[in-house]
Amino acid sequence: MIQSSKRSPLTWLMHITVLFLVVIWTVPTAGLFISSIRDKDQLSVSGWWTALSVSEQRMVSRTTIPKEPVQENGLYVLKGNVFEEGKSGLITRFGASSLKPEAFTSGTKTELKKGLTLIVLENGDYVMTSPKAFKGRGKRIFYTAEIPPRFTLDNYREVLSAEGLGKSFINSLTVTIPATIIPILVAAFAAYALAWMKFPGRAILIATVVGLLVVPLQMSLIPLLKSYSFIGSIFGVGSKGYIGIWLAHTGFGLPLAIYLLRNYIASLPREIIESARVDGATDFDIFRKIILPLSFPALASFAIFQFLWVWNDLLIAMVFLGNSADELVLTGQLRELLGSRGGNWEILTASAFITIIIPLCVFFGLQRFLVRGLLTGSVK
């Protein structure tokens, strides 16, 4: 009798942990996308999880006084709709004073001061009458309405049509691509040397690399900027430019890159390396023809981390590039856009989702190598 195999508790724990990680990463991203396509009025009063339900909003509208007065039955009349063009809802309560914004139910004809009357229907249509001609600014109408779910792409249109966004997108790519490739090239050579080449002080260098992993970026940023400015003044190079930011990101990314690649390369079978040396291959030949092809998963893993970090960076970009319109990266440009608009949530959510589109494409394109690159080398 063959007994059915049972999964161990550790396997179940691993599956639950993976599911938990997927959920805590997916839910915020889904919420961000839903918020970015919601109407700005609904977004400001309710969370994204209520996007498919009717929301109750308290708003104010102002009547429009025509150039030529309109009279009916001896009274001056104003007609219109409290909702903005293209929007609709169900009016439940209304009022003519901020002290009593819900004084009357929809469809009720109310008597106001100085002989004014006002009626607001459920669909938002209003009629205001007066024994005298309307002058000055229009009267305010306060109302409470049940608004159906609204989805729009206006938030994206507003962000994408912002001046300078295309230039900042190119600036981000100009910073990110070299700042991802350069550390990989340097770290690959260093990792091979630390893994397979014997020389004095190798253990100290490995310990130094591990120690640099915990150095805070903020603590080393100012000394790095001063050193770069000093060297730039000697060679006649300005303190602001792409070379400085490439070197800065390379310096900050090298410890992690060397650590990951060294662990991976050290786990490769020794027999392959020794056979190549017996055949007369030099270290450079071994590195170029054997190590690099076999290390692609580890290279792709680090490329994901480095690309995400550099693409989302704002601090180093501001320090080494500046804040001028021609030098701003995408994160800086969206920050300026948000600052000029105040604290509008629709701008924030649409901007945030735009910034993660490219990193998401990079991650999903290389994610199959991520786990292989991180785990290979941890056990033999």
Side-chain angles (χ1 to χ4, degrees):
M1 181 177 176
I2 302 176
Q3 296 181 351
S4 59
S5 60
K6 296 182 179 179
R7 294 182 177 179
S8 65
L10 183 60
T11 302
W12 283 108
L13 178 61
M14 181 184 66
H15 289 173
I16 294 174
T17 303
V18 171
L19 178 62
F20 175 74
L21 292 176
V22 170
V23 170
I24 64 176
W25 278 100
T26 304
V27 171
T29 304
L32 184 65
F33 174 71
I34 294 173
S35 298
S36 68
I37 59 175
R38 293 186 69 194
D39 179 75
K40 62 181 181 180
D41 294 329
Q42 292 185 328
L43 182 61
S44 62
V45 298
S46 61
W48 63 267
W49 52 90
T50 63
L52 297 179
S53 61
V54 176
S55 62
E56 186 178 75
Q57 300 181 20
R58 294 176 176 84
M59 294 176 283
V60 60
S61 179
R62 190 177 290 274
T63 60
T64 302
I65 298 178
K67 295 181 179 180
E68 297 295 333
V70 178
Q71 285 185 291
E72 293 182 3
N73 301 325
L75 296 175
Y76 292 92
V77 180
L78 289 181
K79 294 183 179 180
N81 194 285
V82 297
F83 292 111
E84 297 179 4
E85 185 178 356
K87 296 184 178 181
S88 63
L90 181 64
I91 303 295
T92 56
R93 309 283 298 183
F94 73 95
S97 171
S98 59
L99 299 177
K100 296 180 179 180
E102 299 181 343
F104 314 104
T105 58
S106 59
T108 303
K109 187 175 182 180
T110 62
E111 300 289 339
L112 305 178
K113 297 179 181 180
K114 300 180 181 181
L116 294 174
T117 64
L118 174 65
I119 181 173
V120 180
L121 303 179
E122 287 186 345
N123 64 353
D125 291 336
Y126 66 83
V127 178
M128 180 176 285
T129 62
S130 173
K132 299 181 180 180
F134 294 98
K135 297 180 180 180
R137 301 179 63 187
K139 304 295 182 180
R140 291 188 301 174
I141 301 176
F142 299 86
Y143 61 95
T144 301
E146 294 180 352
I147 308 298
R150 295 174 182 165
F151 297 98
T152 177
L153 295 177
D154 290 341
N155 303 332
Y156 286 97
R157 295 189 186 100
E158 187 171 1
V159 174
L160 293 176
S161 61
E163 184 179 358
L165 191 71
K167 176 64 176 178
S168 63
F169 183 84
I170 299 300
N171 290 342
S172 287
L173 290 178
T174 305
V175 171
T176 305
I177 294 176
T180 302
I181 296 176
I182 296 174
I184 292 178
L185 293 178
V186 177
F189 284 99
Y192 172 75
L194 294 175
W196 292 106
M197 297 177 65
K198 296 181 180 180
F199 54 88
R202 185 177 68 166
I204 297 177
L205 287 178
I206 295 175
T208 303
V209 170
V210 175
L212 289 174
L213 290 172
V214 299
V215 175
L217 181 150
Q218 295 80 2
M219 186 178 71
S220 57
L221 191 59
I222 294 178
L224 182 63
L225 179 61
K226 289 183 176 180
S227 301
Y228 176 73
S229 300
F230 175 74
I231 297 174
S233 62
I234 296 177
F235 292 97
V237 180
S239 60
K240 302 291 184 179
Y242 289 112
I243 295 178
I245 195 171
W246 292 340
L247 294 177
H249 281 302
T250 298
F252 291 127
L254 274 178
L256 178 61
I258 295 175
Y259 178 75
L260 290 177
L261 295 178
R262 190 262 173 189
N263 287 347
Y264 187 95
I265 294 174
S267 68
L268 296 177
R270 180 179 296 273
E271 292 77 9
I272 298 178
I273 310 297
E274 293 177 349
S275 298
R277 286 175 176 166
V278 170
D279 292 338
T282 62
D283 284 316
F284 183 74
D285 293 331
I286 295 173
F287 174 78
R288 181 170 58 90
K289 297 180 180 180
I290 299 177
I291 299 299
L292 281 183
L294 294 177
S295 301
F296 188 78
L299 297 174
S301 300
F302 174 73
I304 293 174
F305 284 113
Q306 183 72 357
F307 189 95
L308 295 180
W309 183 59
V310 177
W311 179 266
N312 294 319
D313 170 71
L314 177 60
L315 176 60
I316 298 180
M318 291 177 59
V319 172
F320 284 91
L321 283 182
N323 292 320
S324 66
D326 294 333
E327 298 169 341
L328 276 177
V329 295
L330 184 60
T331 50
Q333 182 64 41
L334 294 178
R335 183 206 59 180
E336 295 294 327
L337 175 64
L338 181 62
S340 65
R341 304 284 180 173
N344 293 354
W345 284 101
E346 72 277 6
I347 299 297
L348 178 62
T349 54
S351 300
F353 205 81
I354 287 174
T355 59
I356 69 174
I357 291 177
I358 298 298
L360 282 177
C361 294
V362 172
F363 177 79
F364 286 120
L366 300 176
Q367 58 87 24
R368 64 182 182 275
F369 303 107
L370 178 61
V371 175
R372 290 168 54 190
L374 291 180
L375 296 184
T376 304
S378 59
V379 293
K380 291 186 177 181

